[in-house]
Amino acid sequence: MIKKILITFSLLYLAAIWLAYLLQYLPVYIPIYVPGYISVLSAITFLMYAWDKRQAKRSSHKKVNRTPERTLQLLALFGGWPGALLAQQLLRHKSQKRRFIVVLWLCSLINVGAVGSLLYYLV
């Protein structure tokens, strides 16, 4: 149940950002790079999670370089949190570590709050 909610929340956020841009609810001086930035960074974050999941599976056989958790968390903080939530749920990666989940949720809340307050004051 929670898995579907998190996936839906992530996809709805991305869709809302693009819809607001396409319907011109965003101020004129906010160009396409805002929704584009969030979408591209989410895709990069998703790919980083997939890469780390692949490396984690390979690490049981030999020594491999893993992506540091801090890197994944920074990608989420800088706007890639929809991709992080999608990857966490779809790939089942980093979904058991409580500390990591809490930090990811904090990154998500900070981003949603920042975008919400930015839109509130700009519109």
Side-chain angles (χ1 to χ4, degrees), residues 57-122:
K57 286 182 178 180
R58 291 179 62 207
S59 69
S60 63
H61 303 296
K62 60 182 179 177
K63 181 146 174 61
V64 295
N65 288 331
R66 300 272 312 270
T67 305
E69 285 185 358
R70 175 168 276 167
T71 302
L72 297 175
Q73 292 167 342
L74 284 173
L75 285 168
L77 180 64
F78 292 140
W81 66 267
L85 280 180
L86 287 171
Q88 189 181 55
Q89 298 305 311
L90 295 175
L91 303 175
R92 293 171 44 174
H93 188 54
K94 303 285 186 187
S95 60
Q96 298 298 316
K97 294 178 120 181
R98 295 283 179 219
R99 183 184 157 283
F100 190 87
I101 293 170
V102 168
V103 171
L104 179 58
W105 272 101
L106 285 174
C107 293
S108 302
L109 292 174
I110 289 169
N111 273 273
V112 170
V115 168
S117 64
L118 178 70
L119 291 177
Y120 177 77
Y121 289 113
L122 291 178

Side-chain angles (χ1 to χ4, degrees), residues 41-52:
L41 194 58
S42 292
I44 290 169
T45 304
F46 186 92
L47 292 173
M48 291 294 289
Y49 268 76
W51 175 258
D52 190 50

